[in-house]
Amino acid sequence: FDAHVFIGSCDKGIPAQLQAIARLNKPAIMLAGGVMAAGPNKLTLEQIGKYSAQLQRNEITEAEFTYYRHNACPSCGACSFMGTAATMQVLSEALGLALPGSSVLPANSKELQQYAKKVAAAVPRLIRDDITADKILTRKAFENAIMVHSAISGSTNALLHLATIAHEVDIELDM
């Protein structure tokens, strides 16, 4: 392969893909799969814990809880809160492995489709200019990602993922 395009929106997949970009050290770019839409009445997966507790206290019925569970994730994409998936989408951009402005677009949006075309257009440039992970993933890039992580109050899992990605390019990050 001359280059790689990675597409993901999962809390496990994105860190693994970023680690693979670092390990392969070929021209590569990440396209975040976007953020899923909220369900009815702005229902999100994050609220299911609250509804589970309400069910256990007999404040809602089993049928209501089932409705919430079935409607909390109505589309593809990362969960619509700053969990690990959305955090890692943002950090892929902060590290320089994704195009600026692409990290948390709605998964089913025209804007994400436009970014997919921009990613495709960027690949030949990456190949031509031999832009590889070792040229992008510098200590400064990781420091930038850590600052962005702090600014967005991202998932604490991301700190472990950043250290693992850094290890792939022989950078040691100390927690």
Side-chain angles (χ1 to χ4, degrees):
F1 295 97
D2 295 324
H4 303 275
V5 174
F6 290 82
I7 303 170
S9 60
C10 170
D11 63 334
K12 312 293 185 292
I14 294 171
Q17 291 174 340
L18 296 174
Q19 188 176 357
I21 289 172
R23 185 177 293 177
L24 292 169
N25 202 34
K26 296 273 189 195
I29 191 164
M30 177 76 193
L31 176 63
V35 178
M36 79 171 67
N41 297 317
K42 304 209 186 283
L43 177 64
T44 67
L45 181 64
E46 186 176 34
Q47 298 165 337
I48 295 303
K50 171 182 78 171
Y51 291 123
S52 176
Q54 288 178 351
L55 176 65
Q56 291 193 2
R57 292 189 306 260
N58 294 318
E59 295 172 4
I60 62 172
T61 66
E62 185 72 43
E64 289 172 307
F65 182 63
T66 298
Y67 171 83
Y68 295 138
R69 282 188 313 131
H70 289 182
N71 290 282
C73 298
S75 75
C76 60
C79 294
S80 52
F81 56 90
M82 199 50 69
T84 303
T87 298
M88 292 308 296
Q89 287 183 169
V90 171
L91 295 186
S92 67
E93 192 177 320
L95 285 167
L97 297 175
L99 294 177
S102 64
S103 60
V104 289
L105 295 169
N108 295 326
S109 68
K110 293 269 188 226
E111 292 87 357
L112 187 57
Q113 291 176 15
Q114 292 167 350
Y115 267 95
K117 292 175 183 174
K118 290 178 184 179
V119 163
V123 172
R125 269 194 326 272
L126 294 172
I127 295 168
R128 182 191 66 228
D129 297 341
D130 193 34
I131 299 173
T132 54
D134 63 336
K135 295 174 182 132
I136 297 169
L137 295 175
T138 62
R139 175 162 291 284
K140 205 82 161 133
F142 284 99
E143 290 171 357
N144 183 60
I146 291 167
M147 285 191 293
V148 169
H149 177 269
S150 296
I152 65 170
S153 296
S155 167
T156 55
N157 290 338
L159 298 175
L160 299 171
H161 295 311
L162 285 175
T164 302
I165 297 162
H167 177 77
E168 293 294 335
V169 289
D170 296 323
I171 295 173
E172 192 169 326
L173 290 183
D174 186 327
M175 289 296 172

